[in-house]
Amino acid sequence: MAPTPQTPTDALEPRLLWDAPTRILHGAMAALFTAAFSVALLASEHSPAFVLHSALGLLLGGVVLVRLVWGLVGSRPSRFGAFLHSPAALLRYLREAWRGADRPVAGHNPGASYAAWAMLLLSLGLAGTGLAMGAGQGWAEEVHEALAYTLLGVVVLHLAGLAWHTLRHREAIALSMVHGRRRIDGSGSIPSSRPVAAVLVTLTLAGAALLVAKGLDTGQGTLALPGLARPLVLKGEDREGGKGHHRATERHESED
């Protein structure tokens, strides 16, 4: 039987830990990855609907970029410095968790920290390889698929960690990313949810979504954005392949 934590979370008062911008960005990343992955599984690569997968992936990349900025200027628990842990700290945490001797901490524990870094970097890699695929780079397709399934695996591990923490410490930790509060001592709390920054982040994400929705052409598989000389090709490999096949068919018919 696992030993009882030395500092039970139910003995502490709920205090504000996660500011509103962090929660908004976390929810946006989760929703966009889920939607993009679902479209990729359900829609044919030759379907106009598949272009939505690429558009959602680009939005995911944009949200990650905003999160990177917030990781530099946000509240203390949301900054990157708050979840920098050495590999030795990660191994020590995993050993303690395996033995049931881990203790709850305010913010990211080493396991959650490495999962957060992985999800951020993999999301950027997916956006980059998606653009490379649109530019006709053949190497990018397999890399993109590998990154997508790797990210899915990290998400599953992250959810398993949340479930473990909930059972182990009797704390519904996943809800902290909804209301921002956790049972922690006063030294780990933050004074404000940063409402002004939350409004700015929300307007930025909404504006980006509107620009994508306005510039997306599912028939052509392109995305026109302000400031770009020509639209981004979101379905370049499939479209070029289709055009090449069509031209080859025309040449064959003319020879006959």
Side-chain angles (χ1 to χ4, degrees):
M1 184 176 181
T4 302
Q6 296 182 24
T7 307
T9 56
D10 52 12
L12 299 171
E13 292 295 324
R15 291 183 170 88
L16 186 63
L17 176 66
W18 302 118
D19 56 47
T22 298
R23 287 178 273 146
I24 293 168
L25 293 167
H26 182 275
M29 285 188 284
L32 288 169
F33 174 70
T34 301
F37 197 89
S38 299
V39 172
L41 289 178
L42 298 175
S44 166
E45 292 185 7
H46 305 286
S47 166
F50 193 82
V51 178
L52 292 175
H53 164 77
S54 301
L56 291 167
L58 282 179
L59 283 173
L60 174 60
V63 172
V64 171
L65 291 177
V66 177
R67 180 63 181 91
L68 292 179
V69 173
W70 192 245
L72 300 175
V73 301
S75 302
R76 186 182 66 257
S78 302
R79 293 187 183 183
F80 296 135
F83 49 102
L84 285 174
H85 296 277
S86 67
L90 174 63
L91 292 175
R92 183 168 58 251
Y93 168 77
L94 293 176
R95 285 196 300 267
E96 291 174 352
W98 179 261
R99 296 196 305 265
D102 59 303
R103 298 180 60 184
V105 297
H108 291 83
N109 61 47
S113 296
Y114 275 82
W117 282 112
M119 287 186 283
L120 291 172
L121 295 175
L122 287 168
S123 296
L124 287 178
L126 284 170
T129 52
L131 288 173
M133 289 169 62
Q137 300 296 319
W139 59 268
E141 183 173 2
E142 291 186 3
V143 176
H144 186 81
E145 185 174 355
L147 291 176
Y149 281 101
T150 301
L151 179 53
L152 178 64
V154 173
V155 170
V156 170
L157 288 175
H158 180 55
L159 294 176
L162 292 177
W164 163 257
H165 182 102
T166 299
L167 295 174
R168 166 93 174 97
H169 300 294
R170 303 186 302 277
E171 179 189 17
I173 190 173
L175 292 178
S176 68
M177 274 297 170
V178 177
H179 49 60
R181 298 182 177 273
R182 279 191 61 190
R183 293 184 179 275
I184 55 176
D185 60 45
S187 62
S189 63
I190 60 175
S192 169
S193 63
R194 308 288 290 272
V196 175
V199 171
L200 293 176
V201 167
T202 301
L203 291 175
T204 299
L205 300 187
L210 287 173
L211 285 176
V212 168
K214 182 179 179 180
L216 187 63
D217 187 331
T218 57
Q220 294 296 318
T222 59
L223 174 63
L225 293 175
L228 295 182
R230 52 185 175 181
L232 293 173
V233 179
L234 302 182
K235 201 178 174 186
E237 194 161 305
D238 289 340
R239 292 172 69 242
E240 291 299 324
K243 289 180 180 179
H245 175 74
H246 181 64
R247 285 195 294 266
T249 301
E250 288 180 337
R251 286 197 301 270
H252 179 72
E253 289 176 350
S254 63
E255 289 172 0
D256 289 344

mmCIF file of all heavy atoms in Angstrom, residues 108-158:
data_model
loop_
_atom_site.group_PDB
_atom_site.id
_atom_site.type_symbol
_atom_site.label_atom_id
_atom_site.label_comp_id
_atom_site.label_asym_id
_atom_site.label_seq_id
_atom_site.Cartn_x
_atom_site.Cartn_y
_atom_site.Cartn_z
ATOM 1 N N HIS A 108 4.725 22.590 -12.045
ATOM 2 C CA HIS A 108 5.083 21.382 -12.778
ATOM 3 C C HIS A 108 6.090 20.554 -11.994
ATOM 4 O O HIS A 108 7.148 21.061 -11.607
ATOM 5 C CB HIS A 108 5.706 21.743 -14.136
ATOM 6 C CG HIS A 108 4.741 22.334 -15.110
ATOM 7 N ND1 HIS A 108 4.405 23.675 -15.103
ATOM 8 C CD2 HIS A 108 4.047 21.777 -16.137
ATOM 9 C CE1 HIS A 108 3.543 23.910 -16.071
ATOM 10 N NE2 HIS A 108 3.310 22.794 -16.717
ATOM 11 N N ASN A 109 5.774 19.267 -11.781
ATOM 12 C CA ASN A 109 6.791 18.358 -11.272
ATOM 13 C C ASN A 109 7.713 17.983 -12.439
ATOM 14 O O ASN A 109 7.419 18.314 -13.597
ATOM 15 C CB ASN A 109 6.144 17.126 -10.624
ATOM 16 C CG ASN A 109 5.296 16.327 -11.598
ATOM 17 O OD1 ASN A 109 5.705 16.034 -12.716
ATOM 18 N ND2 ASN A 109 4.084 15.970 -11.173
ATOM 19 N N PRO A 110 8.832 17.313 -12.184
ATOM 20 C CA PRO A 110 9.750 17.003 -13.295
ATOM 21 C C PRO A 110 9.107 16.237 -14.445
ATOM 22 O O PRO A 110 9.400 16.509 -15.614
ATOM 23 C CB PRO A 110 10.851 16.177 -12.603
ATOM 24 C CG PRO A 110 10.860 16.697 -11.203
ATOM 25 C CD PRO A 110 9.428 16.975 -10.873
ATOM 26 N N GLY A 111 8.219 15.284 -14.137
ATOM 27 C CA GLY A 111 7.566 14.541 -15.211
ATOM 28 C C GLY A 111 6.693 15.429 -16.074
ATOM 29 O O GLY A 111 6.750 15.376 -17.310
ATOM 30 N N ALA A 112 5.878 16.264 -15.441
ATOM 31 C CA ALA A 112 5.012 17.173 -16.186
ATOM 32 C C ALA A 112 5.831 18.206 -16.950
ATOM 33 O O ALA A 112 5.447 18.634 -18.041
ATOM 34 C CB ALA A 112 4.045 17.862 -15.236
ATOM 35 N N SER A 113 6.973 18.608 -16.384
ATOM 36 C CA SER A 113 7.822 19.598 -17.055
ATOM 37 C C SER A 113 8.356 19.065 -18.372
ATOM 38 O O SER A 113 8.302 19.747 -19.402
ATOM 39 C CB SER A 113 8.986 19.989 -16.134
ATOM 40 O OG SER A 113 8.516 20.621 -14.966
ATOM 41 N N TYR A 114 8.877 17.840 -18.342
ATOM 42 C CA TYR A 114 9.405 17.266 -19.579
ATOM 43 C C TYR A 114 8.296 17.024 -20.588
ATOM 44 O O TYR A 114 8.502 17.184 -21.799
ATOM 45 C CB TYR A 114 10.167 15.977 -19.278
ATOM 46 C CG TYR A 114 11.607 16.222 -18.882
ATOM 47 C CD1 TYR A 114 11.935 16.568 -17.582
ATOM 48 C CD2 TYR A 114 12.636 16.140 -19.813
ATOM 49 C CE1 TYR A 114 13.252 16.815 -17.212
ATOM 50 C CE2 TYR A 114 13.951 16.386 -19.463
ATOM 51 C CZ TYR A 114 14.252 16.725 -18.156
ATOM 52 O OH TYR A 114 15.551 16.982 -17.811
ATOM 53 N N ALA A 115 7.110 16.647 -20.111
ATOM 54 C CA ALA A 115 5.977 16.473 -21.021
ATOM 55 C C ALA A 115 5.598 17.800 -21.661
ATOM 56 O O ALA A 115 5.296 17.860 -22.860
ATOM 57 C CB ALA A 115 4.785 15.882 -20.275
ATOM 58 N N ALA A 116 5.624 18.886 -20.872
ATOM 59 C CA ALA A 116 5.280 20.207 -21.411
ATOM 60 C C ALA A 116 6.272 20.634 -22.485
ATOM 61 O O ALA A 116 5.877 21.113 -23.560
ATOM 62 C CB ALA A 116 5.241 21.236 -20.280
ATOM 63 N N TRP A 117 7.574 20.473 -22.213
ATOM 64 C CA TRP A 117 8.576 20.812 -23.226
ATOM 65 C C TRP A 117 8.375 19.988 -24.492
ATOM 66 O O TRP A 117 8.458 20.508 -25.608
ATOM 67 C CB TRP A 117 9.978 20.566 -22.678
ATOM 68 C CG TRP A 117 10.475 21.623 -21.746
ATOM 69 C CD1 TRP A 117 10.710 21.508 -20.412
ATOM 70 C CD2 TRP A 117 10.778 22.981 -22.083
ATOM 71 N NE1 TRP A 117 11.149 22.696 -19.885
ATOM 72 C CE2 TRP A 117 11.211 23.629 -20.892
ATOM 73 C CE3 TRP A 117 10.731 23.724 -23.255
ATOM 74 C CZ2 TRP A 117 11.599 24.954 -20.852
ATOM 75 C CZ3 TRP A 117 11.120 25.064 -23.218
ATOM 76 C CH2 TRP A 117 11.538 25.662 -22.041
ATOM 77 N N ALA A 118 8.125 18.689 -24.315
ATOM 78 C CA ALA A 118 7.946 17.815 -25.482
ATOM 79 C C ALA A 118 6.744 18.247 -26.310
ATOM 80 O O ALA A 118 6.806 18.298 -27.553
ATOM 81 C CB ALA A 118 7.788 16.361 -25.027
ATOM 82 N N MET A 119 5.640 18.580 -25.647
ATOM 83 C CA MET A 119 4.434 18.964 -26.386
ATOM 84 C C MET A 119 4.634 20.276 -27.137
ATOM 85 O O MET A 119 4.158 20.427 -28.274
ATOM 86 C CB MET A 119 3.243 19.051 -25.426
ATOM 87 C CG MET A 119 2.764 17.675 -24.969
ATOM 88 S SD MET A 119 1.254 17.697 -23.959
ATOM 89 C CE MET A 119 1.907 18.241 -22.382
ATOM 90 N N LEU A 120 5.331 21.220 -26.529
ATOM 91 C CA LEU A 120 5.590 22.486 -27.207
ATOM 92 C C LEU A 120 6.484 22.293 -28.435
ATOM 93 O O LEU A 120 6.177 22.773 -29.536
ATOM 94 C CB LEU A 120 6.246 23.472 -26.244
ATOM 95 C CG LEU A 120 5.374 24.015 -25.108
ATOM 96 C CD1 LEU A 120 6.220 24.823 -24.135
ATOM 97 C CD2 LEU A 120 4.231 24.863 -25.657
ATOM 98 N N LEU A 121 7.588 21.572 -28.254
ATOM 99 C CA LEU A 121 8.541 21.401 -29.355
ATOM 100 C C LEU A 121 7.969 20.528 -30.469
ATOM 101 O O LEU A 121 8.176 20.804 -31.657
ATOM 102 C CB LEU A 121 9.839 20.792 -28.813
ATOM 103 C CG LEU A 121 10.607 21.690 -27.833
ATOM 104 C CD1 LEU A 121 11.817 20.951 -27.271
ATOM 105 C CD2 LEU A 121 11.041 22.983 -28.512
ATOM 106 N N LEU A 122 7.247 19.474 -30.101
ATOM 107 C CA LEU A 122 6.653 18.608 -31.128
ATOM 108 C C LEU A 122 5.592 19.355 -31.927
ATOM 109 O O LEU A 122 5.459 19.156 -33.141
ATOM 110 C CB LEU A 122 6.050 17.363 -30.469
ATOM 111 C CG LEU A 122 7.065 16.332 -29.959
ATOM 112 C CD1 LEU A 122 6.372 15.298 -29.070
ATOM 113 C CD2 LEU A 122 7.766 15.631 -31.127
ATOM 114 N N SER A 123 4.828 20.212 -31.260
ATOM 115 C CA SER A 123 3.807 20.995 -31.968
ATOM 116 C C SER A 123 4.450 21.926 -32.986
ATOM 117 O O SER A 123 3.958 22.074 -34.118
ATOM 118 C CB SER A 123 2.974 21.800 -30.971
ATOM 119 O OG SER A 123 2.246 20.950 -30.112
ATOM 120 N N LEU A 124 5.560 22.567 -32.598
ATOM 121 C CA LEU A 124 6.273 23.415 -33.552
ATOM 122 C C LEU A 124 6.822 22.583 -34.707
ATOM 123 O O LEU A 124 6.798 23.011 -35.866
ATOM 124 C CB LEU A 124 7.414 24.146 -32.847
ATOM 125 C CG LEU A 124 7.030 25.285 -31.907
ATOM 126 C CD1 LEU A 124 8.274 25.877 -31.263
ATOM 127 C CD2 LEU A 124 6.253 26.372 -32.654
ATOM 128 N N GLY A 125 7.336 21.390 -34.401
ATOM 129 C CA GLY A 125 7.832 20.514 -35.452
ATOM 130 C C GLY A 125 6.741 20.099 -36.416
ATOM 131 O O GLY A 125 6.962 20.015 -37.639
ATOM 132 N N LEU A 126 5.544 19.863 -35.899
ATOM 133 C CA LEU A 126 4.417 19.501 -36.767
ATOM 134 C C LEU A 126 4.053 20.653 -37.697
ATOM 135 O O LEU A 126 3.799 20.446 -38.890
ATOM 136 C CB LEU A 126 3.207 19.114 -35.911
ATOM 137 C CG LEU A 126 3.264 17.745 -35.261
ATOM 138 C CD1 LEU A 126 2.125 17.577 -34.258
ATOM 139 C CD2 LEU A 126 3.201 16.648 -36.311
ATOM 140 N N ALA A 127 4.012 21.864 -37.155
ATOM 141 C CA ALA A 127 3.699 23.025 -38.003
ATOM 142 C C ALA A 127 4.766 23.215 -39.073
ATOM 143 O O ALA A 127 4.452 23.465 -40.251
ATOM 144 C CB ALA A 127 3.567 24.280 -37.149
ATOM 145 N N GLY A 128 6.029 23.068 -38.701
ATOM 146 C CA GLY A 128 7.114 23.252 -39.664
ATOM 147 C C GLY A 128 7.128 22.200 -40.751
ATOM 148 O O GLY A 128 7.278 22.528 -41.941
ATOM 149 N N THR A 129 6.957 20.950 -40.371
ATOM 150 C CA THR A 129 6.948 19.891 -41.389
ATOM 151 C C THR A 129 5.687 19.946 -42.242
ATOM 152 O O THR A 129 5.714 19.573 -43.415
ATOM 153 C CB THR A 129 7.076 18.504 -40.737
ATOM 154 O OG1 THR A 129 6.072 18.365 -39.702
ATOM 155 C CG2 THR A 129 8.454 18.300 -40.130
ATOM 156 N N GLY A 130 4.586 20.452 -41.664
ATOM 157 C CA GLY A 130 3.381 20.638 -42.473
ATOM 158 C C GLY A 130 3.605 21.663 -43.564
ATOM 159 O O GLY A 130 3.184 21.468 -44.719
ATOM 160 N N LEU A 131 4.281 22.765 -43.230
ATOM 161 C CA LEU A 131 4.604 23.762 -44.241
ATOM 162 C C LEU A 131 5.571 23.193 -45.272
ATOM 163 O O LEU A 131 5.456 23.486 -46.477
ATOM 164 C CB LEU A 131 5.225 24.990 -43.581
ATOM 165 C CG LEU A 131 4.270 25.875 -42.773
ATOM 166 C CD1 LEU A 131 5.046 26.956 -42.026
ATOM 167 C CD2 LEU A 131 3.210 26.496 -43.673
ATOM 168 N N ALA A 132 6.519 22.387 -44.827
ATOM 169 C CA ALA A 132 7.469 21.769 -45.758
ATOM 170 C C ALA A 132 6.756 20.825 -46.720
ATOM 171 O O ALA A 132 7.090 20.751 -47.907
ATOM 172 C CB ALA A 132 8.552 21.021 -44.985
ATOM 173 N N MET A 133 5.760 20.099 -46.236
ATOM 174 C CA MET A 133 4.974 19.235 -47.113
ATOM 175 C C MET A 133 4.245 20.055 -48.166
ATOM 176 O O MET A 133 4.189 19.679 -49.343
ATOM 177 C CB MET A 133 3.979 18.417 -46.283
ATOM 178 C CG MET A 133 4.614 17.333 -45.428
ATOM 179 S SD MET A 133 3.448 16.617 -44.248
ATOM 180 C CE MET A 133 2.212 15.924 -45.363
ATOM 181 N N GLY A 134 3.688 21.195 -47.746
ATOM 182 C CA GLY A 134 2.997 22.055 -48.696
ATOM 183 C C GLY A 134 3.937 22.600 -49.754
ATOM 184 O O GLY A 134 3.523 22.868 -50.885
ATOM 185 N N ALA A 135 5.226 22.750 -49.374
ATOM 186 C CA ALA A 135 6.218 23.240 -50.325
ATOM 187 C C ALA A 135 6.778 22.128 -51.205
ATOM 188 O O ALA A 135 7.685 22.371 -52.007
ATOM 189 C CB ALA A 135 7.364 23.915 -49.570
ATOM 190 N N GLY A 136 6.242 20.923 -51.055
ATOM 191 C CA GLY A 136 6.660 19.818 -51.915
ATOM 192 C C GLY A 136 7.885 19.071 -51.434
ATOM 193 O O GLY A 136 8.500 18.331 -52.208
ATOM 194 N N GLN A 137 8.259 19.222 -50.183
ATOM 195 C CA GLN A 137 9.408 18.506 -49.636
ATOM 196 C C GLN A 137 8.983 17.086 -49.261
ATOM 197 O O GLN A 137 8.297 16.877 -48.260
ATOM 198 C CB GLN A 137 9.951 19.240 -48.411
ATOM 199 C CG GLN A 137 10.409 20.664 -48.691
ATOM 200 C CD GLN A 137 11.591 20.700 -49.641
ATOM 201 O OE1 GLN A 137 12.502 19.884 -49.548
ATOM 202 N NE2 GLN A 137 11.584 21.646 -50.557
ATOM 203 N N GLY A 138 9.418 16.119 -50.042
ATOM 204 C CA GLY A 138 8.969 14.750 -49.843
ATOM 205 C C GLY A 138 9.380 14.148 -48.515
ATOM 206 O O GLY A 138 8.647 13.333 -47.937
ATOM 207 N N TRP A 139 10.543 14.558 -47.981
ATOM 208 C CA TRP A 139 11.026 13.998 -46.728
ATOM 209 C C TRP A 139 10.114 14.329 -45.553
ATOM 210 O O TRP A 139 10.088 13.626 -44.534
ATOM 211 C CB TRP A 139 12.422 14.531 -46.410
ATOM 212 C CG TRP A 139 12.475 16.029 -46.298
ATOM 213 C CD1 TRP A 139 12.760 16.916 -47.282
ATOM 214 C CD2 TRP A 139 12.193 16.809 -45.126
ATOM 215 N NE1 TRP A 139 12.695 18.208 -46.803
ATOM 216 C CE2 TRP A 139 12.354 18.165 -45.490
ATOM 217 C CE3 TRP A 139 11.839 16.484 -43.813
ATOM 218 C CZ2 TRP A 139 12.147 19.193 -44.576
ATOM 219 C CZ3 TRP A 139 11.638 17.510 -42.907
ATOM 220 C CH2 TRP A 139 11.791 18.851 -43.289
ATOM 221 N N ALA A 140 9.359 15.416 -45.678
ATOM 222 C CA ALA A 140 8.634 15.946 -44.529
ATOM 223 C C ALA A 140 7.437 15.085 -44.126
ATOM 224 O O ALA A 140 7.023 15.106 -42.960
ATOM 225 C CB ALA A 140 8.156 17.370 -44.827
ATOM 226 N N GLU A 141 6.892 14.321 -45.083
ATOM 227 C CA GLU A 141 5.662 13.589 -44.775
ATOM 228 C C GLU A 141 5.880 12.545 -43.685
ATOM 229 O O GLU A 141 5.110 12.470 -42.715
ATOM 230 C CB GLU A 141 5.116 12.924 -46.043
ATOM 231 C CG GLU A 141 3.793 12.211 -45.809
ATOM 232 C CD GLU A 141 3.177 11.701 -47.091
ATOM 233 O OE1 GLU A 141 3.794 11.877 -48.159
ATOM 234 O OE2 GLU A 141 2.085 11.125 -47.023
ATOM 235 N N GLU A 142 6.934 11.732 -43.825
ATOM 236 C CA GLU A 142 7.178 10.703 -42.822
ATOM 237 C C GLU A 142 7.568 11.321 -41.488
ATOM 238 O O GLU A 142 7.170 10.826 -40.422
ATOM 239 C CB GLU A 142 8.260 9.743 -43.302
ATOM 240 C CG GLU A 142 7.821 8.863 -44.465
ATOM 241 C CD GLU A 142 8.870 7.812 -44.816
ATOM 242 O OE1 GLU A 142 9.896 7.739 -44.112
ATOM 243 O OE2 GLU A 142 8.644 7.085 -45.799
ATOM 244 N N VAL A 143 8.351 12.389 -41.532
ATOM 245 C CA VAL A 143 8.731 13.067 -40.289
ATOM 246 C C VAL A 143 7.497 13.633 -39.607
ATOM 247 O O VAL A 143 7.325 13.526 -38.380
ATOM 248 C CB VAL A 143 9.753 14.181 -40.570
ATOM 249 C CG1 VAL A 143 10.069 14.956 -39.294
ATOM 250 C CG2 VAL A 143 11.031 13.594 -41.162
ATOM 251 N N HIS A 144 6.604 14.236 -40.388
ATOM 252 C CA HIS A 144 5.374 14.818 -39.847
ATOM 253 C C HIS A 144 4.537 13.745 -39.158
ATOM 254 O O HIS A 144 4.045 13.955 -38.042
ATOM 255 C CB HIS A 144 4.591 15.460 -40.993
ATOM 256 C CG HIS A 144 3.382 16.216 -40.545
ATOM 257 N ND1 HIS A 144 3.433 17.502 -40.045
ATOM 258 C CD2 HIS A 144 2.065 15.853 -40.525
ATOM 259 C CE1 HIS A 144 2.209 17.911 -39.744
ATOM 260 N NE2 HIS A 144 1.362 16.924 -40.016
ATOM 261 N N GLU A 145 4.383 12.609 -39.805
ATOM 262 C CA GLU A 145 3.585 11.532 -39.221
ATOM 263 C C GLU A 145 4.227 11.005 -37.941
ATOM 264 O O GLU A 145 3.540 10.750 -36.945
ATOM 265 C CB GLU A 145 3.423 10.394 -40.235
ATOM 266 C CG GLU A 145 2.504 9.292 -39.753
ATOM 267 C CD GLU A 145 2.241 8.254 -40.833
ATOM 268 O OE1 GLU A 145 2.696 8.464 -41.975
ATOM 269 O OE2 GLU A 145 1.589 7.239 -40.526
ATOM 270 N N ALA A 146 5.552 10.857 -37.957
ATOM 271 C CA ALA A 146 6.250 10.378 -36.759
ATOM 272 C C ALA A 146 6.084 11.355 -35.600
ATOM 273 O O ALA A 146 5.846 10.952 -34.446
ATOM 274 C CB ALA A 146 7.724 10.154 -37.065
ATOM 275 N N LEU A 147 6.196 12.656 -35.890
ATOM 276 C CA LEU A 147 6.022 13.662 -34.848
ATOM 277 C C LEU A 147 4.598 13.635 -34.292
ATOM 278 O O LEU A 147 4.393 13.799 -33.081
ATOM 279 C CB LEU A 147 6.335 15.050 -35.401
ATOM 280 C CG LEU A 147 7.790 15.342 -35.758
ATOM 281 C CD1 LEU A 147 7.904 16.737 -36.382
ATOM 282 C CD2 LEU A 147 8.685 15.237 -34.540
ATOM 283 N N ALA A 148 3.607 13.448 -35.171
ATOM 284 C CA ALA A 148 2.212 13.438 -34.736
ATOM 285 C C ALA A 148 1.949 12.297 -33.759
ATOM 286 O O ALA A 148 1.329 12.496 -32.700
ATOM 287 C CB ALA A 148 1.288 13.332 -35.943
ATOM 288 N N TYR A 149 2.436 11.097 -34.096
ATOM 289 C CA TYR A 149 2.190 9.961 -33.207
ATOM 290 C C TYR A 149 3.036 10.046 -31.941
ATOM 291 O O TYR A 149 2.623 9.567 -30.874
ATOM 292 C CB TYR A 149 2.429 8.650 -33.941
ATOM 293 C CG TYR A 149 1.267 8.279 -34.834
ATOM 294 C CD1 TYR A 149 1.308 8.489 -36.213
ATOM 295 C CD2 TYR A 149 0.101 7.741 -34.291
ATOM 296 C CE1 TYR A 149 0.228 8.168 -37.025
ATOM 297 C CE2 TYR A 149 -0.984 7.420 -35.089
ATOM 298 C CZ TYR A 149 -0.912 7.627 -36.453
ATOM 299 O OH TYR A 149 -1.993 7.320 -37.252
ATOM 300 N N THR A 150 4.202 10.662 -32.045
ATOM 301 C CA THR A 150 4.997 10.887 -30.838
ATOM 302 C C THR A 150 4.281 11.843 -29.898
ATOM 303 O O THR A 150 4.223 11.619 -28.677
ATOM 304 C CB THR A 150 6.387 11.444 -31.198
ATOM 305 O OG1 THR A 150 7.059 10.524 -32.050
ATOM 306 C CG2 THR A 150 7.222 11.655 -29.945
ATOM 307 N N LEU A 151 3.740 12.914 -30.464
ATOM 308 C CA LEU A 151 2.994 13.864 -29.641
ATOM 309 C C LEU A 151 1.775 13.191 -29.019
ATOM 310 O O LEU A 151 1.463 13.433 -27.842
ATOM 311 C CB LEU A 151 2.576 15.073 -30.479
ATOM 312 C CG LEU A 151 1.747 16.155 -29.765
ATOM 313 C CD1 LEU A 151 2.438 16.613 -28.486
ATOM 314 C CD2 LEU A 151 1.499 17.328 -30.695
ATOM 315 N N LEU A 152 1.084 12.361 -29.770
ATOM 316 C CA LEU A 152 -0.054 11.637 -29.219
ATOM 317 C C LEU A 152 0.389 10.781 -28.032
ATOM 318 O O LEU A 152 -0.294 10.731 -27.001
ATOM 319 C CB LEU A 152 -0.689 10.764 -30.301
ATOM 320 C CG LEU A 152 -1.877 9.906 -29.843
ATOM 321 C CD1 LEU A 152 -3.038 10.786 -29.389
ATOM 322 C CD2 LEU A 152 -2.325 8.974 -30.971
ATOM 323 N N GLY A 153 1.539 10.115 -28.173
ATOM 324 C CA GLY A 153 2.045 9.297 -27.072
ATOM 325 C C GLY A 153 2.363 10.132 -25.841
ATOM 326 O O GLY A 153 2.069 9.729 -24.703
ATOM 327 N N VAL A 154 2.954 11.316 -26.048
ATOM 328 C CA VAL A 154 3.266 12.198 -24.922
ATOM 329 C C VAL A 154 1.980 12.662 -24.243
ATOM 330 O O VAL A 154 1.898 12.728 -23.003
ATOM 331 C CB VAL A 154 4.096 13.402 -25.397
ATOM 332 C CG1 VAL A 154 4.270 14.414 -24.266
ATOM 333 C CG2 VAL A 154 5.463 12.949 -25.891
ATOM 334 N N VAL A 155 0.964 12.977 -25.033
ATOM 335 C CA VAL A 155 -0.315 13.400 -24.472
ATOM 336 C C VAL A 155 -0.922 12.281 -23.624
ATOM 337 O O VAL A 155 -1.420 12.518 -22.515
ATOM 338 C CB VAL A 155 -1.288 13.817 -25.587
ATOM 339 C CG1 VAL A 155 -2.701 14.016 -25.038
ATOM 340 C CG2 VAL A 155 -0.810 15.108 -26.253
ATOM 341 N N VAL A 156 -0.861 11.054 -24.132
ATOM 342 C CA VAL A 156 -1.396 9.912 -23.373
ATOM 343 C C VAL A 156 -0.644 9.747 -22.052
ATOM 344 O O VAL A 156 -1.250 9.525 -20.996
ATOM 345 C CB VAL A 156 -1.326 8.626 -24.219
ATOM 346 C CG1 VAL A 156 -1.655 7.402 -23.371
ATOM 347 C CG2 VAL A 156 -2.293 8.721 -25.401
ATOM 348 N N LEU A 157 0.678 9.851 -22.100
ATOM 349 C CA LEU A 157 1.470 9.754 -20.873
ATOM 350 C C LEU A 157 1.133 10.891 -19.906
ATOM 351 O O LEU A 157 1.060 10.684 -18.684
ATOM 352 C CB LEU A 157 2.962 9.776 -21.204
ATOM 353 C CG LEU A 157 3.537 8.522 -21.869
ATOM 354 C CD1 LEU A 157 5.001 8.752 -22.256
ATOM 355 C CD2 LEU A 157 3.416 7.318 -20.931
ATOM 356 N N HIS A 158 0.935 12.076 -20.463
ATOM 357 C CA HIS A 158 0.566 13.231 -19.629
ATOM 358 C C HIS A 158 -0.774 12.984 -18.941
ATOM 359 O O HIS A 158 -0.926 13.243 -17.732
ATOM 360 C CB HIS A 158 0.502 14.470 -20.513
ATOM 361 C CG HIS A 158 0.136 15.719 -19.775
ATOM 362 N ND1 HIS A 158 0.817 16.175 -18.667
ATOM 363 C CD2 HIS A 158 -0.861 16.623 -19.992
ATOM 364 C CE1 HIS A 158 0.267 17.289 -18.226
ATOM 365 N NE2 HIS A 158 -0.751 17.585 -19.014
#
